[in-house]
Amino acid sequence: MSGASKSLAQDQSDGEFYHSIVSAAVDLNNVFVRRGIISATRSVRDIDNNSRRQFLYNIPLTPQSNGLPPFIPPPIELQKKIKARIPSPTGSKIAVLVEESISSSVGGKESKRHVFEIWTNNGHMLANRIVLSSETHGPVCTDFAWFGGISWSPDESALVYTAEVNKPKTASFFTTLTTDEGAITGGQYTLGVGKSEDWGEKYGTTALLTLFCLNVETGKVGAIENVPGPPMTKDISSTEGGYVLGQPVFSPCGQAVVYTGWDAGAGGEMPRRLGAIYCFQRPCKIYSSPVVELLGQLGKSNSDDEEDSTKKDASFESVTPNDRLARSPRFSKPDGGKSKLAYLCNTKGFDTHGGCMALHVSEWNMSKGQVVDGSTKVVVDVVHLPGDLGDETKVEGIKFPGLFLNQLPKDCFTPDGKCIVTTSEWGSVNKVLSISLDDGKVTPINFDLLSNDSYNDKASQQFMGFTEDGGAIVTQSEANRPTILGHLQPSFLEYDQRIAPSQILADLPPISSTSFSSLTPESCFKPGVGYSYQTINTEPKHGEVKVPVASVLLLPERAENEKLPLIVVPHGGPHTCMSTSFFPSYGYLCKHGQYAILHVNFRGSTGFGQAALESLAGNAGSLDVLDVVAATRAVIDAGIADPDRVGICGGSHGGFLAGHCIGQHPDLFKAAAMRNPCTNIASMVTATDIPDWCYVESLGSGRYNFADFGAPSKEEMDVMWDKSPIAHLANAKAPTLMALGMKDRRVPPSQGIEYYHALRAKNVPTKLLVYEDCDHAIDLVVSEADFWINTKRWFDEHLR
């Protein structure tokens, strides 16, 4: 076969297998149960159109009479204009948020508008279409993973939602006539007026968010004005300062809305807005605002508008005045005139961008519509070292490390209100937990959707919500097996640490991602076949905080005693964790590339206690590097990996570690692939959306003044440079692939460009991939595919 033919065959093979494995991924969201039917939305890559398609599944909860999983009708593709589907508490109504494009009668310019569609009669009848006026607010926030939220009132007559505050009206200095009364002349390009200070990476269009209520029958919308900070909805002159308000929920009595408020300048702790995505240390509190008068006004007909319109709701209340971090409010169902309010909290807060959270619960007075004074209880406190709290229970060799989660599930209280069920990182595993509100006991729910005879300690599992009879909807994923959807019987909480009975509801087949190749029974990815995985705990002697360095090792099928080429993958963050879940990109490298893949959760990762996490602050580039090296040598010493064929691959902080490893240990790591890496902290600190990261990771906790931003001193920049990969450039010799998203605001592309040219000047083999339309994640579908196929080929060239 000629060289050209071999290349063509490789192109075909690489593309076909990548297509096969990404088509098998099952990314589920918006899962809820309604009258015995589970609705779930699946996001699927569309390589041909460089986008994602959304498919709606309706899955019966009851299995077939022969005991097999329920028959599932084919999915329905959701139109891209559908941004959210929110069922009412009884399931008899669904609010659908639609984004529509409309053409202007002047000039034919196209604009967007949001419309709430209210479907009644169990979702069969479109009863109302409510167009949201652009004069009232900007776009509705659909970032439900963090700022956003849409919630029904208990009587299902109203919605509360989060939307962007409109910028002040502006006019040019050269405008002679304006129809905009009160427009600020010359303000188009002024920050805080015509231009908004945003929240950085992924939040380039988010400046200030506030709360609105909508009556689903009258279609009237009103702002909740009794909130912290200055009024942000009428004739504002600036979007500087204030609070970002989000995650709203109605209280079960319907008298108040409870929500999270982030300091955006008015609270004195954030003189500038820093990057928000993946940054869970931004100061925030839980607030409660009465809305009885507002809801009453919105429910009146137009003829009654003038009557009692002067009545105002009472002022807001801070539920967590003494806590630096508090978020994710959740209510239990009312029982005997009582309810409970639960939320995540860290009273002290932390400077690292992730951390351990406590669980607090307060009693809610249903008649007064407020928290009962003095009723707040710490159910689960912050855990510093695994085992400090709880019994001797271990998951993959790790005692309870504390709660590591971003939000509580929307439906987290058990029907009797005695426990909360949630998912938390426990070492390298995502684990479903039951938490007793009586004594704070944390119990892992042990099950295996693939077998009722044992439980799978290393699979990552997630709680999605309760069924009407008190059972649980869960998912299960493994490094070599995509997500499957399952059900736990209503008695699952009674099994303590025994195996809870479970059943599979849906093991969804692939959905093709491209026309490049077809999916056949032979070409489809086969879960659990072709590669395996295991978890490894290494206990290095270095470092003050002694917790295991946990790793997830993926292994392709191999001959006995065969030593494999190894790709080491330190995760980004650094305060995140690589779980045992299914990630198609790494399955691609392992199964198709025939590489062993080692994910290293170095100290500083989430899921191992707060002390281990904070031990990395001030030690980045040393402690994490030593942990990665120790885990790598453990795999080599076990006879699994070939010491002469070890590469390293990482993005963001993982790219930072890849740069450090090829510089500090040039004889161990023979090739590298880096994705948007930080290579020079000193030159990044004034250009990133998270300058606090540069201070905290290089200088230590407490070294960044959040209340008074200032540029670093010469001495501080010296330390930052010393902690950077660029400081070890002289030793670097590993062939290096560099990939950059040119819209990255987290790690500026100049970081990778600087390092790329420095390597070229040393005649080190290097290659630069430039993705013009990508940001930090490089997650546009075509760019993502291009990067991973290029990465496989880079290691094929330099490790084979």
Side-chain angles (χ1 to χ4, degrees), residues 553-626:
L553 178 64
L554 280 59
L555 293 171
E557 292 179 348
R558 58 177 180 147
E560 189 176 353
N561 299 323
E562 177 189 3
K563 292 186 177 181
L564 296 165
L566 174 68
I567 300 175
V568 180
V569 185
H571 59 70
H575 307 298
T576 57
C577 182
M578 192 64 184
S579 73
T580 56
S581 300
F582 180 74
F583 294 93
S585 51
Y586 298 114
Y588 173 74
L589 293 177
C590 181
K591 187 173 181 179
H592 183 58
Q594 293 293 292
Y595 293 100
I597 307 294
L598 182 68
H599 295 289
V600 184
N601 288 317
F602 45 83
R603 277 167 288 187
S605 303
T606 51
F608 298 88
Q610 186 67 13
L613 186 149
E614 291 185 334
S615 70
L616 182 59
N619 294 306
S622 53
L623 178 64
D624 43 4
V625 171
L626 290 173

Side-chain angles (χ1 to χ4, degrees), residues 143 147 198-206 275-278 689 743-746 773-780:
D143 166 37
F147 288 137
D198 59 44
W199 291 85
E201 177 76 12
K202 296 285 190 185
Y203 288 114
T205 60
T206 300
I277 193 166
Y278 315 128
D689 67 334
K743 293 184 177 179
D744 189 350
R745 296 179 61 186
R746 180 69 28 111
D773 296 324
C774 286
D775 53 24
H776 190 59
I778 309 185
D779 55 2
L780 294 180

Side-chain angles (χ1 to χ4, degrees), residues 172-178:
S172 166
F173 285 118
F174 303 96
T175 300
T176 54
L177 294 174
T178 177

